[in-house]
Amino acid sequence: MSDITQKLEQTIRDIPDFPKPGIVFKDITPVLANPEISKAVSEAFLNYWKKAQIDVIVGIESRGFMYGLPLAQGLDVPFVPVRKVGKLPYTTIRHSYDLEYGSAEVEIHTDAIAPGQRVLIHDDLLATGGTAAAAAELIRKIGGEVVGYSFLVELAFLNGRAKLADKEVHALVTYS
Ligand SMILES: O=P(O)(O)OC[C@H]1O[C@H](OP(=O)(O)OP(=O)(O)O)[C@H](O)[C@@H]1O
Ligand SMILES: Nc1ncnc2[nH]cnc12
């Protein structure tokens, strides 16, 4: 097991029954609160994706913004937000989907990605895969090519990878 994976396992906190009974919430705020581990997280993402010829990072609101922007800056590419409905000010397209604990709808600006650009989707956590798949749908609709998915945490027992087709999926820590 890599050093960063071990540190993340020791640092991410389990919160039982949040936000609903039966859900064990993976709380990453202790990671954000530790500058040394947080920097190591950003370096690990950069190291993994630096040779993948990514043109754009799409980060998913809200926890996908935290390491998505540093990754875009490290790769020297644009960062594009996918946001919950009603937050983006320019022309948008939207897509609804189911979550581990409810349902949601996300949007992207229609001019955010140029046709043919190679896009990496980043979020903090892969659960059922509904959110990442919805982001991919938005990106494809505006002409982008989704080349991979990047997560801090994967909850493998929810089989989210199955929704992400044949693209590369990377997570720094996986819970089975
Ligand atoms: O794989 P899925 O089942 O789709 O679940 C994963 C999504 O759920 C969480 O977001 P949430 O909607 O709780 O929003 P937040 O990041 O704003 O807290 C998480 O940050 C992912 O975006
Ligand atoms: N169990 C979980 N912990 C944290 N974020 C989540 N998003 C979806 N499921 C989650």
Side-chain angles (χ1 to χ4, degrees):
M1 188 190 295
S2 79
D3 208 31
I4 185 64
T5 301
Q6 206 169 2
K7 283 201 175 115
L8 285 172
E9 282 188 355
Q10 290 160 358
T11 311
I12 291 168
R13 193 162 57 173
D14 278 1
I15 311 288
D17 299 320
F18 182 88
K20 290 188 174 165
I23 302 289
V24 178
F25 192 86
K26 296 290 180 191
D27 179 16
I28 65 161
T29 61
V31 178
L32 303 172
N34 183 318
E36 194 191 324
I37 298 177
S38 197
K39 263 188 258 174
V41 165
S42 288
E43 278 161 23
F45 283 135
L46 188 54
N47 208 31
Y48 187 86
W49 291 106
K50 66 186 175 199
K51 302 242 170 74
Q53 295 175 301
I54 305 298
D55 296 320
V56 180
I57 300 291
V58 164
I60 302 176
E61 182 175 359
S62 61
R63 285 173 273 150
F65 295 169
M66 293 160 187
Y67 291 105
L69 180 62
L71 179 57
Q73 290 176 337
L75 294 173
D76 205 15
V77 300
F79 174 82
V80 168
V82 159
R83 297 207 62 181
K84 312 237 158 94
V85 161
K87 302 285 184 183
L88 287 171
Y90 183 64
T91 317
T92 62
I93 51 166
R94 60 178 62 175
H95 193 81
S96 30
Y97 62 98
D98 292 323
L99 274 172
E100 193 189 2
Y101 39 72
S103 67
E105 207 170 6
V106 283
E107 287 184 321
I108 195 168
H109 277 153
T110 50
D111 67 347
I113 289 159
Q117 279 191 310
R118 291 168 56 82
V119 180
L120 177 67
I121 295 175
H122 173 80
D123 205 351
D124 70 315
L125 185 138
L126 173 62
T128 65
T131 309
E137 188 68 26
L138 292 176
I139 291 159
R140 289 190 196 106
K141 274 191 189 149
I142 59 171
E145 182 195 350
V146 177
V147 296
Y149 299 85
S150 156
F151 303 95
L152 192 65
V153 177
E154 177 181 6
L155 304 183
F157 52 90
L158 293 173
N159 204 21
R161 276 178 190 248
K163 286 212 185 79
L164 306 183
D166 53 350
K167 304 300 176 202
E168 190 164 356
V169 178
H170 173 250
L172 292 178
V173 59
T174 299
Y175 297 91
S176 322

